[in-house]
């Protein structure tokens, strides 16, 4: 289904699931896939309400692509050359391994490039030998060589990375017709949300699971494909039509979200792009107010005007702060805005900052969980032994690594061997013995009492809370870190994760991003990429200048169409009020430069815009209205 912005994509998926169940299909033979843990959670909740079922073993599977790949590998671990309870490396783990494998002094940007190239090799289905043969530049050769060493290290650690969660199931299913047939029996019907965001490997996974019959429903919109930088291919819509010609193409063109002016602007904008499939959104919503375009002297003035506009709108409508959103092209644009909102007393939250599971204290404790689950996880061992630090320094760890390599064992398993410890100095050897004894005690606890028992004991047993207090220099930071630790313990013990300790450790790598609650009654500040799938009554889009939107690098690289799609996504987040703003000058590298309005503003229907300076009488009236509202607010504050 081609489903435009605000046309009810998620509802299509959930209603189709309910329909299939009413037609007699077993719920546990249905699998729905989306791209984020949050979206999967919301889809699950809607489906539960439609089906009104409480049975744990007769539910549709609703997950992300990576969670589906993890579930596959947990069942087929032996075919994939993995042992039960394998580890899933996150991005930090991968970078740590590559940093260790590459020459000392490799710069961070080169390291990130090599990691991205290896990810690209896996996305293309290339093993290390094929990647080496396909390499064309010195950097690609470096990446291909590192890829071979990296894969050997993953195998030694009984680990996979996020790319492997898709690439390995694809390789197994495409190579073994019997295995593919068995999984098609297990998954009788597939549904995919946000299909335009799939990459090449994800499409191959879908095709392998659906088989030649193509029992699937996919919902997508090529006009909202904004993730080419991470491999998304809107062309997968055409590939699907080619590979499954019997699939019907259904267009959902009614928008249930936006006022007609906003929708008209979005349609006019996106009409400048080439289209895989033609469609035109329409709405029965009211016409709505004109789209305001604010012309500001600089980005500081822009931030202050946006803060004042949000304050005025909230006071005049009494709308919750959570109905307001400010969108920008890059995270760096939030600084001036945050300052202006703080001065205006407006509560806000920056969406997409450091995630809960990216925080040091949370990653430290999860390293313990991973190591308890899998003593072959060297990355977890190296983090856990420093959290809190023990009398085991870098030279001892290096010596332990040499012994482990000679014996073809993981670091933790080597440390468990008294004969290996006798090769080390007495004090670090004793500290290692104490460390591995604690690991074994906690593993026994987890095996007998489950993850909840481990969660209760983990912090006091490791002394991690004492470690935080010893390291703290700021009481507020300590309070914040301890609260994060308490929240992690509560989450681990909540029953949200199921299975043995090994299965749970792998699930953590996939599910971690969705464990925190959403922001409360606060204005949301976020990038346009982060706003996908969301909607707000009042939307401000700042930084509508050439070089920012469209971004200068995208223009240079010929990716103007994707920048236009990104602006289209931003516009269609607004339900009633849309405000666009730009600065006439910007501070760049210490010098103030002149900025010009984004070319995209000229592509909007000018009759639907209220542009600063175009109507002096209307501008004066608007200023008077806002000044009156400001005086009313001051009067209320001082009780006059």
């Amino acid at each position: 289904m081609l489903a435009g912005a605000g046309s009810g994509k998620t509802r299509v998926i959930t209603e189709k699931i309910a329909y299939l169940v009413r037609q007699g299909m077993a719920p546990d033979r249905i699998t729905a896939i989306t791209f984020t843990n949050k979206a999967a959670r919301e889809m699950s909740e809607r489906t539960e309400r439609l089906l009104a079922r409480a049975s744990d073993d007769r539910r549709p599977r609703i997950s992300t692509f990576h969670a589906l790949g993890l579930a596959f590998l947990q069942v087929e671990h032996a075919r994939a050359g993995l042992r039960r309870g394998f580890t899933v490396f996150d991005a930090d783990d991968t970078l740590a391994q590559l940093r260790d494998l590459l020459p000392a002094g490799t710069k961070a940007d080169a390291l990130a490039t090599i990691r991205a190239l290896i990810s690209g090799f896996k996305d293309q289905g290339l093993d290390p030998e094929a990647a080496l043969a396909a390499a064309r530049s010195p950097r690609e050769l470096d990446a291909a060589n590192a890829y071979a060493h990296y894969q050997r290290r993953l195998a030694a650690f009984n680990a996979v990375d996020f790319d492997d969660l898709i690439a390995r199931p694809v390789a197994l299913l495409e190579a073994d017709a019997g295995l593919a047939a068995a999984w098609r029996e297990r998954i009788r019907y597939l549904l995919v949300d946000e299909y335009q965001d799939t990459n090449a490997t994800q499409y191959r996974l879908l095709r392998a699971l659906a088989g030649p019959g193509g029992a699937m429903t996919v919902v997508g919109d090529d006009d909202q494909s904004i993730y080419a930088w991470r491999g998304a291919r809107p062309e997968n819509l055409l590939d699907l039509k080619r590979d499954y010609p019997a699939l019907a193409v259904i267009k959902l063109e009614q928008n249930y979200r936006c006022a007609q002016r906003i929708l008209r602007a979005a349609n006019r904008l996106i009409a400048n792009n080439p289209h895989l499939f033609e469609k035109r959104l329409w709405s029965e919503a009211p016409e709505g107010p004109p789209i305001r375009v604010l012309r500001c002297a600089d980005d500081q003035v822009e931030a202050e005007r946006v803060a004042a506009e949000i304050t005025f709108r909230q006071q005049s409508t009494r709308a919750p702060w959570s109905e307001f959103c400010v969108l920008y092209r890059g995270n760096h644009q939030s600084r001036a805005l945050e300052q202006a909102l703080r001065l205006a007393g407006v509560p806000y939250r920056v969406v997409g900052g450091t995630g809960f599971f990216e925080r040091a204290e949370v990653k430290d404790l999860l390293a313990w969980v991973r190591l308890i689950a899998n003593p072959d996880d060297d990355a977890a061992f190296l983090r856990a032994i420093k959290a809190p630090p023990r009398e085991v320094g870098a030279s001892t760890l290096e010596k332990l690594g040499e012994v482990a390599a000679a014996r073809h064992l993981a670091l933790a398993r080597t440390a468990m061997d008294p004969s290996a410890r006798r090769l080390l100095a007495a004090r670090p050897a004793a500290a290692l013995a104490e460390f591995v004894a604690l690991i074994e005690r906690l593993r026994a606890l987890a095996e007998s009492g489950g993850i909840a028992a481990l969660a209760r004991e983990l912090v006091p047993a490791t002394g991690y809370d004492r470690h935080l207090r010893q390291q703290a220099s700021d009481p507020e930071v300590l309070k914040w870190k301890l609260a994060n630790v308490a929240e992690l313990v509560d989450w681990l013990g909540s029953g949200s994760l199921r299975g043995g300790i090994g299965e749970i450790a792998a699930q953590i790598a996939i599910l971690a991003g969705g464990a925190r609650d959403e922001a409360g009654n606060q204005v949301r500040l976020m990038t346009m990429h982060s706003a996908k799938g969301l909607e707000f009554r009042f939307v401000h889009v700042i930084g509508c200048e050439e070089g920012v939107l469209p971004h200068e690098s995208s223009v240079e690289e010929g990716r103007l169409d994707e920048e236009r799609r990104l602006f289209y996504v931003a516009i269609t987040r607004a339900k009633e009020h849309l405000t666009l703003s730009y600065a006439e000058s910007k501070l760049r590298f210490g010098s103030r430069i002149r900025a010009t309005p984004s070319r995209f503003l000229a592509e909007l229907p000018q009759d639907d815009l209220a542009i600063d300076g175009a109507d002096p009488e209307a501008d004066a009236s608007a200023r008077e209205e806002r000044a009156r509202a400001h005086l009313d607010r001051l009067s209320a504050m001082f009780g006059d």
Side-chain angles (χ1 to χ4, degrees):
M1 294 188 181
L2 293 170
S7 62
K9 289 188 288 294
T10 302
R11 184 178 179 185
V12 167
I13 298 288
T14 55
E15 291 286 352
K16 183 64 176 280
I17 291 172
Y19 169 80
L20 291 170
V21 172
R22 287 195 294 268
Q23 294 300 304
M25 183 172 288
D28 55 352
R29 293 290 191 265
I30 301 170
T31 292
I33 307 173
T34 188
F35 276 84
T36 66
N37 295 316
K38 177 176 179 289
R41 238 182 7 257
E42 290 176 353
M43 194 180 290
S44 295
E45 290 166 359
R46 290 199 203 183
T47 302
E48 285 294 313
R49 289 195 293 270
L50 286 172
L51 296 179
R53 289 177 177 269
S55 172
D56 289 347
D57 59 350
R58 298 283 289 175
R59 292 178 177 177
R61 177 190 295 278
I62 300 176
S63 71
T64 64
F65 272 99
H66 290 96
L68 177 61
L70 172 61
F72 177 94
L73 289 176
Q74 285 174 334
V75 174
E76 307 294 351
H77 58 88
R79 292 178 189 267
L82 298 165
R83 299 186 299 282
R84 190 181 299 278
F86 59 85
T87 298
V88 179
F89 273 18
D90 65 14
D92 282 353
D93 295 330
T94 295
L95 284 173
Q97 296 306 319
L98 290 174
R99 190 178 295 112
D100 184 46
L101 290 169
L102 292 168
T106 301
K107 293 183 178 179
D109 57 345
L111 189 67
T113 298
I114 287 176
R115 176 177 171 269
L117 287 169
I118 291 174
S119 178
F121 294 148
K122 293 188 178 188
D123 180 42
Q124 297 170 60
L126 301 177
D127 60 20
E129 292 76 16
L132 192 60
R136 294 291 178 269
S137 68
R139 183 54 55 85
E140 288 179 349
L141 284 170
D142 290 343
N145 284 313
Y147 181 20
H149 294 297
Y150 172 63
Q151 287 302 105
R152 283 197 291 273
R153 183 161 289 192
L154 285 180
F157 294 169
N158 190 36
V160 296
D161 61 23
F162 265 49
D163 294 308
D164 288 326
L165 294 178
I166 309 298
R168 287 204 178 194
V170 167
L172 289 171
L173 289 165
E174 290 182 344
D176 188 333
L179 178 66
W183 275 86
R184 287 169 201 152
E185 178 62 26
R186 188 185 293 239
I187 300 176
R188 304 290 290 276
Y189 203 93
L190 273 167
L191 304 101
V192 187
D193 195 14
E194 302 289 2
Y195 179 76
Q196 77 282 344
D197 293 334
T198 54
N199 62 30
T201 312
Q202 288 162 345
Y203 177 56
R204 288 169 61 194
L205 178 62
L206 293 175
R207 194 171 56 192
L209 290 173
M216 70 171 95
T217 295
V218 307
V219 183
D221 179 10
D222 55 323
D223 288 335
Q224 295 187 71
S225 181
I226 57 174
Y227 297 115
W229 49 274
R230 67 182 191 197
R233 295 182 71 255
E235 296 85 358
N236 283 349
L237 287 161
L238 291 176
D239 292 345
L240 187 70
K241 186 172 176 58
R242 178 200 65 206
D243 294 337
Y244 297 98
L247 285 182
V249 178
I250 300 170
K251 297 181 181 181
L252 303 181
E253 297 177 294
Q254 182 174 1
N255 173 287
Y256 298 96
R257 175 191 300 154
C258 305
Q260 292 197 39
R261 283 185 192 271
I262 295 170
L263 198 56
R264 212 160 36 236
N267 281 335
R268 180 76 63 86
L269 173 77
I270 206 65
N272 291 280
N273 270 6
H275 289 80
L276 298 176
F277 298 91
E278 289 298 330
K279 65 180 181 301
R280 186 171 185 83
L281 297 185
W282 59 276
S283 173
E284 293 180 343
E287 183 77 356
I291 297 167
R292 295 195 67 205
V293 180
L294 306 182
R295 181 177 59 188
C296 308
D298 55 38
D299 46 2
Q300 187 64 47
V301 172
E302 179 183 32
E304 291 167 357
R305 289 194 67 181
V306 168
E309 180 70 18
I310 289 173
T311 303
F312 166 71
R313 288 291 179 194
Q314 196 276 335
Q315 289 173 348
S316 59
T317 63
R318 299 301 175 190
W321 293 112
S322 57
E323 288 281 9
F324 294 82
C325 177
V326 184
L327 301 177
Y328 35 77
R329 181 64 177 82
N331 281 310
H332 66 281
Q333 293 172 263
S334 73
R335 185 202 57 77
L337 190 61
E338 289 186 67
Q339 178 181 336
L341 290 172
R342 282 197 298 269
L343 291 173
V346 174
Y348 70 88
R349 181 193 177 202
V350 179
V351 177
T354 301
F356 178 69
F357 281 78
E358 297 169 354
R359 293 168 183 165
E361 60 273 15
V362 175
K363 291 176 75 73
D364 285 346
L365 290 172
L366 287 181
W368 279 87
V369 175
R370 288 166 46 198
L371 185 59
I372 290 163
N374 177 15
D376 293 320
D377 188 339
D378 277 4
F381 174 88
L382 291 170
R383 186 162 194 131
I385 203 165
K386 299 173 186 174
R390 298 165 192 276
E391 293 183 341
V392 182
S395 59
T396 299
L397 289 173
E398 185 175 344
K399 176 64 176 175
L400 182 68
E402 292 171 359
V403 176
R407 298 186 178 195
H408 304 288
L409 291 173
L411 292 170
R413 291 195 186 278
T414 305
M416 292 173 185
D417 185 345
S419 68
R421 294 198 300 270
R422 282 196 289 271
L423 299 174
L424 307 174
R427 288 183 65 177
L432 272 177
E434 183 181 336
F435 177 72
V436 297
L438 177 57
I439 291 292
E440 289 171 340
R441 179 168 73 83
L442 291 173
R443 182 178 298 115
L445 176 65
E447 289 172 350
S448 62
I451 189 70
L454 175 63
R456 288 192 298 271
E457 184 65 16
L458 183 60
V459 175
T462 59
Y464 193 77
D465 52 347
R466 185 171 61 253
H467 162 65
L468 288 179
R469 290 186 172 90
Q470 290 171 348
Q471 297 294 314
S473 57
D474 185 328
E476 285 302 310
V477 172
L478 173 62
K479 180 180 177 182
W480 177 65
K481 286 180 176 289
L482 290 173
N484 288 335
V485 167
E487 183 172 347
L488 175 66
V489 170
D490 289 345
W491 181 69
L492 287 172
S494 67
S496 299
L497 304 175
R498 304 182 185 193
I501 180 66
E503 288 80 7
I504 285 172
Q507 289 174 46
I508 284 170
I510 305 297
L511 301 175
R516 282 180 72 82
D517 290 335
E518 295 301 304
N521 188 23
Q522 299 168 298
V523 175
R524 269 52 161 202
L525 314 183
M526 67 182 81
T527 66
M528 299 176 193
H529 284 99
S530 299
K532 190 102 171 307
L534 303 178
E535 59 182 44
F536 302 90
R537 186 176 171 189
F538 304 89
V539 170
H540 290 257
V541 182
I542 67 171
C544 296
E545 303 118 19
E546 284 294 302
V548 178
L549 181 70
H551 195 275
E552 59 185 348
S553 64
S554 296
V555 175
E556 292 168 0
E557 295 166 10
R559 293 186 283 111
L560 183 63
D561 290 349
E562 178 152 342
E563 292 291 295
R564 189 177 283 111
R565 290 196 293 268
L566 187 59
F567 192 34
Y568 173 84
V569 167
I571 287 173
T572 53
R573 298 313 93 196
K575 295 194 285 188
E576 295 179 20
H577 295 265
L578 175 64
T579 303
L580 313 173
S581 58
Y582 65 91
E584 295 183 306
S585 70
K586 310 278 281 191
L587 197 62
R588 187 170 186 180
F589 305 120
S591 300
R592 187 156 295 281
I593 62 170
R594 186 162 187 80
T596 57
S598 168
R599 70 190 73 187
F600 295 152
L601 295 178
E603 295 178 0
L604 303 178
Q606 302 301 296
D607 290 346
D608 288 318
L609 307 183
I611 303 174
D612 264 7
D615 186 339
E617 187 176 332
D619 289 346
S621 176
R623 284 194 296 271
E624 183 180 343
E625 183 183 21
R626 283 156 179 74
R628 189 164 53 249
H630 182 61
L631 290 173
D632 289 344
R633 185 186 184 208
L634 290 176
S635 178
M637 286 174 61
F638 292 104
D640 183 9

